[in-house]
Amino acid sequence: MPDYVIAPPPIPSLPLASSDERFPVRRIFCVGRNYAAHAREMGADPDRESPMIFTKPADAIVAAVGTLPYPTLTADLHHEVEMVVALKQGGVNIDPASAAELIWGYGVGLDLTRRDLQAHAKENRHPWDMAKGFDSSAACTALRSLTETGQLKSGRIWLETNGEMRQESDLSDMIWSTSEIIAHISRAVALAPGDLIYTGTPSGVGPLAPGDRVRGGVDGLAEFELTVGPQRKSDG
């Protein structure tokens, strides 16, 4: 073991649905505008764009239970429910025909966005990392293995706040399939075991406020339920 000048940070991880083991998280990739209706509500043309990929830091991952803090620096926090793919293998330039062989299993994620920061960054042609990659911005259920679920290509995906349905679609409505997404990312960077992919969100994204009760899921896979907590205070 090497000597470090400070204690190494803990490895981010997620629980498993059927055992006490945990899934270590290496990277978090996210797909933007992967449902046609959502692409249109964000002002994009779903018929012309290739998959739009962005990332979140691995330690943005949190379990989708209990209370989720409302982040700093925003007055417009948005919810985005997504199916999450967990990889057991990696590679580069992966053939879409064999990409599914890399999948360990699935979960249901809540991708949170500081929409006002994102809009400001877009207007000024700045990166919008801080609109997406903040603390606790990637909530996820316990993961289920491929042997439990089989390959998921369809199933209702939904989210409600305070009992009101906000997002509802089907996984079969994704513009780019899971295999195509894996192959696309692997042409840009080397994928590896422990990578997570948030596969995109349906239309109906909208604001969350402190105190909101949020439920979401993918039928036959998993559901989550959590509460939005008070806004975190900035230091200083």
Side-chain angles (χ1 to χ4, degrees):
M1 290 288 292
D3 293 327
Y4 296 100
V5 296
I6 60 171
I11 297 173
S13 64
L14 283 171
L16 306 185
S18 58
S19 80
D20 292 332
E21 295 177 300
R22 297 186 68 86
F23 186 90
V25 177
R26 173 183 175 264
R27 281 184 172 180
I28 302 173
F29 297 94
C30 303
V31 184
R33 303 170 186 166
N34 199 28
Y35 290 77
H38 174 58
R40 293 188 185 99
E41 78 176 349
M42 300 304 293
D45 185 346
D47 297 324
R48 295 184 180 180
E49 293 188 332
S50 61
M52 185 186 72
I53 309 299
F54 61 93
T55 62
K56 292 175 181 271
D59 63 2
I61 202 75
V62 290
V65 295
T67 300
L68 205 61
Y70 194 101
T72 60
L73 302 180
T74 186
D76 195 19
L77 179 69
H78 277 211
H79 57 75
E80 302 182 22
V81 64
E82 313 200 11
M83 182 179 74
V84 177
V85 176
L87 300 186
K88 64 180 179 181
Q89 295 174 252
V92 296
N93 294 319
I94 296 162
D95 187 336
S98 59
E101 298 173 8
L102 278 61
I103 298 173
W104 182 89
Y106 302 93
V108 181
L110 179 63
D111 170 15
L112 295 174
T113 303
R114 291 163 165 162
R115 194 69 74 196
D116 43 2
L117 266 64
Q118 185 184 44
H120 180 76
K122 287 179 177 179
E123 289 172 1
N124 291 277
R125 298 184 179 181
H126 292 167
W128 35 273
D129 300 59
M130 290 298 98
K132 283 287 191 178
F134 51 93
D135 296 343
S136 304
S137 62
C140 190
T141 64
L143 300 177
R144 296 183 62 195
S145 70
L146 196 64
T147 56
E148 297 175 85
T149 65
Q151 294 286 354
L152 294 181
K153 298 180 180 180
S154 64
R156 186 176 72 111
I157 181 170
W158 57 276
L159 179 141
E160 63 179 35
T161 62
N162 302 319
E164 176 188 352
M165 191 65 67
R166 291 276 192 88
Q167 295 184 261
E168 190 172 20
S169 188
D170 195 278
L171 299 178
S172 61
D173 292 331
M174 289 197 299
I175 299 170
W176 301 94
S177 70
T178 299
S179 292
E180 290 170 328
I181 292 166
I182 292 171
H184 179 80
I185 296 173
S186 76
R187 290 195 287 271
V189 296
L191 292 170
D195 287 343
L196 297 181
I197 302 174
Y198 279 59
T199 57
T201 194
S203 62
V205 300
L208 293 172
D212 280 351
R213 294 175 291 104
V214 186
R215 294 181 62 238
V218 172
D219 289 356
L221 172 59
E223 294 184 12
F224 64 83
E225 183 170 0
L226 52 83
T227 301
V228 181
Q231 186 167 36
R232 282 180 170 169
K233 302 298 182 183
S234 299
D235 292 336

